Amino acid sequence: MASQLRALSDIIAGNLSVLEAAYEQEGAQFPSLDDPFQPTPLDSDPLLAHTKQLIAAAAAQLVANVRSPVEMLQEYSPGMYLTVTLGLVVDTNVPDILSVAGHKGLHVNDISAQNGVNPSYLARVLRFLATRHVFKEISPDVFANNRISSLLQKAKSLEEIQADADEALKGSVLFSEFIQNPERAASAFNIAHQTEAKMWDWYEDPGNELRARRFAAAMKGGADRFPAEIFDNDVVVDIGGSVGAAVLHLYKSYPNLQYVVQDLEKQIVVAKEFWKENAPEAVADGRVELQVYDFFTPQPVKGAAVYFHRVNIHNWPDREAKTIMQTMRAAASSSSKVVLFDIIATHVCEDPVSELSTARQKVPSPLLPNLGVAGAGIHTAMDIQMLTLFNGKERTETEFRELGRCTGWKLEKVIPGLLPALVFSAA
Ligand SMILES: C[S@@+](CC[C@H](N)C(=O)[O-])C[C@H]1O[C@@H](n2cnc3c(N)ncnc32)[C@H](O)[C@@H]1O
């Protein structure tokens, strides 16, 4: 055991030296947790990203080894308080209020004077978060933003942070109930919100306009996180494209292609506003068509060069995912491609299916092969979110290949990236 701990600490020490050397060479300082977030060129260096991932994976694994199992469970089981306290500080503008105060911070009484939250409750919430490195308490009851809390400012990412917030939170309470009685409803979300409708159809209901808008706003982010170079001709259909943020990104690089963005009615309403703001000429001259369309009806665009879905398939259980793939097959020509931009799930342990194109880089022992919370952490969290909201799932490459195989598509290649692209051709 001692040797495992030592191996983990060696991974941390060795990679810290790599990190220090890289910053020294640039004459830069590694950003401090105490300062508000400021992007630096080295943040996005892919080699250093892996170095930082190894450090974080080893540190998390070291903590899990060193702490007693009781302590670990005491940390994990009240995880919902992290969600609700983050939600509260965002709702009540604390990061924005603190951003004006800078390094010297503000007393909770002064924060309370601006947002109306009882200062004694606020102090406890902020202490809970500062204990977990979100905000810092610089003197008793005086709090300031740090690198993490500064990112919660509304100007930057409120919509992203709040997306799915109450939809998922309420569903998560019924998670165990659903898993133990899956025949009771389509998902935990459905039990929690007492509806038989899928979340998307529920968004279309009167009273949920704000939620539908909030979701559409959240999907504008990260639109460039996929390899665009695969599109080189003809008609490209973004199915379930929400406002069409991914198409806007493509349109800027390839303005001569023909694009169709398809989604349910409420999303297309928001899409029209989005295109009016960002590229009105594209819609006016017919380069981009915004079309109301339901996945489970025949695809009106026949023989497109590319049909693509970005982060949609993971919303659906296998039965519906197959129908979506079959509907595209029925509309496709022999040269049409389907491209799915989606997370690819991986096993925590080594995967003996070695021909996978997503084969992982070997990581030093005794790290988890998926790098734990520092690697597949967000993917596994998304998987549970999909399960909670839709009984959907993140799929392994093998599962994607099988999904294609039984619906008339052959998985041709996987282009790695932050959001990998799975390219299928007609079988
Ligand atoms: C996770 S979002 C992804 C949006 C978009 N592809 C993107 O990456 O920004 C899922 C999208 O699928 C749409 N959707 C859900 N059910 C649908 C259906 N039956 N027909 C068409 N679109 C649907 C939703 O309205 C939503 O915009």
Side-chain angles (χ1 to χ4, degrees):
M1 186 62 233
S3 67
Q4 277 227 359
L5 297 182
R6 180 63 59 198
L8 290 168
S9 111
D10 288 348
I11 292 169
I12 297 173
N15 283 286
L16 272 180
S17 302
V18 174
L19 207 55
E20 274 170 351
Y23 275 80
E24 220 168 276
Q25 199 177 358
E26 291 290 314
Q29 291 274 322
F30 193 78
S32 160
L33 181 58
D34 284 340
D35 298 326
F37 175 74
Q38 281 292 342
T40 70
L42 287 179
D43 288 348
S44 47
D45 181 306
L47 288 178
L48 287 187
H50 186 62
T51 307
K52 287 185 274 187
Q53 230 183 358
L54 291 177
I55 295 170
Q61 199 164 324
L62 192 61
V63 168
N65 272 282
V66 168
R67 294 183 84 189
S68 77
V70 173
E71 286 172 322
M72 288 307 290
L73 291 174
Q74 279 171 345
E75 177 65 29
Y76 289 153
S77 45
M80 67 284 196
Y81 296 124
L82 199 48
T83 310
V84 295
T85 51
L86 282 173
L88 176 87
V89 294
V90 170
D91 284 347
T92 59
N93 307 321
V94 176
D96 301 74
I97 295 170
L98 288 180
S99 74
V100 180
H103 277 292
K104 50 186 194 335
L106 271 186
H107 194 278
V108 279
N109 290 338
D110 298 319
I111 306 174
S112 166
Q114 295 188 54
N115 68 2
V117 177
N118 175 310
S120 103
Y121 291 150
L122 197 53
R124 288 158 59 191
V125 165
L126 289 175
R127 204 158 295 131
F128 172 87
L129 287 170
T131 303
R132 286 155 184 81
H133 308 290
V134 185
F135 300 105
K136 50 187 182 169
E137 186 170 17
I138 48 184
S139 59
D141 291 328
V142 175
F143 292 89
N145 271 337
N146 69 355
R147 185 170 157 81
I148 301 174
S149 66
S150 68
L151 220 66
L152 294 169
Q153 284 172 59
K154 289 189 174 156
K156 292 195 174 135
S157 59
L158 173 66
E159 283 162 337
E160 279 174 68
I161 292 153
Q162 284 192 330
D164 295 352
D166 71 330
E167 290 89 318
L169 192 59
K170 283 193 189 139
S172 67
V173 176
L174 276 301
F175 182 79
S176 176
E177 161 74 20
F178 169 71
I179 298 292
Q180 294 182 68
N181 303 287
E183 65 294 334
R184 202 186 133 183
S187 72
F189 163 89
N190 294 90
I191 308 177
H193 292 272
Q194 298 181 341
T195 173
E196 289 186 5
K198 286 267 167 204
M199 189 179 87
W200 314 110
D201 299 321
W202 181 74
Y203 277 163
E204 301 280 301
D205 286 350
N208 283 338
E209 292 81 2
L210 199 69
R211 287 188 167 107
R213 272 185 179 275
R214 189 173 65 190
F215 187 85
M219 291 319 295
K220 286 183 210 160
D224 53 349
R225 279 187 222 145
F226 61 84
E229 66 278 6
I230 53 178
F231 299 94
D232 56 3
N233 61 359
D234 248 331
V235 180
V236 175
V237 190
D238 180 2
I239 311 176
S242 187
V243 295
V247 164
L248 178 64
H249 171 69
L250 285 173
Y251 167 76
K252 286 185 178 156
S253 311
Y254 307 96
N256 296 324
L257 301 189
Q258 191 73 32
Y259 299 95
V260 184
V261 178
Q262 299 178 327
D263 209 299
L264 298 174
E265 196 173 338
K266 288 253 172 12
Q267 298 293 312
I268 292 297
V269 168
V270 189
K272 285 184 180 156
E273 295 164 16
F274 176 78
W275 283 86
K276 207 181 266 177
E277 267 167 41
N278 291 286
E281 76 293 348
V283 178
D285 69 14
R287 285 270 153 219
V288 174
E289 186 182 346
L290 307 174
Q291 192 173 64
V292 175
Y293 167 66
D294 182 332
F295 295 152
F296 302 102
T297 60
Q299 170 57 253
V301 184
K302 310 289 181 203
V306 177
Y307 297 95
F308 81 87
H309 282 266
R310 196 181 74 130
V311 288
N312 286 342
I313 298 299
H314 73 169
N315 295 155
W316 299 93
D318 287 336
R319 195 166 56 103
E320 285 88 346
K322 279 182 197 161
T323 308
I324 293 171
M325 296 292 280
Q326 279 160 344
T327 308
M328 290 187 287
R329 188 68 187 83
S333 68
S334 59
S335 60
S336 300
K337 305 263 188 226
V338 157
V339 183
L340 306 181
F341 298 104
D342 238 314
I343 290 168
I344 299 181
T346 52
H347 293 283
V348 180
C349 57
E350 293 293 352
D351 193 338
V353 188
S354 55
E355 87 275 13
L356 293 186
S357 36
T358 46
R360 290 176 295 205
Q361 215 174 332
K362 278 252 173 283
V363 300
S365 173
L367 292 182
L368 296 178
N370 75 348
L371 289 176
V373 287
I378 181 71
H379 298 168
T380 51
M382 284 302 282
D383 186 39
I384 300 298
Q385 170 105 321
M386 292 307 115
L387 177 51
T388 304
L389 288 175
F390 312 108
N391 198 7
K393 67 202 266 199
E394 303 302 348
R395 292 176 169 82
T396 61
E397 186 179 326
T398 306
E399 288 172 318
F400 274 118
R401 181 172 288 114
E402 176 55 20
L403 179 62
R405 197 200 56 75
C406 64
T407 55
W409 295 103
K410 181 177 185 320
L411 179 60
E412 238 177 33
K413 60 178 169 178
V414 179
I415 306 174
L418 263 173
L419 199 52
L422 297 118
V423 183
F424 295 84
S425 56

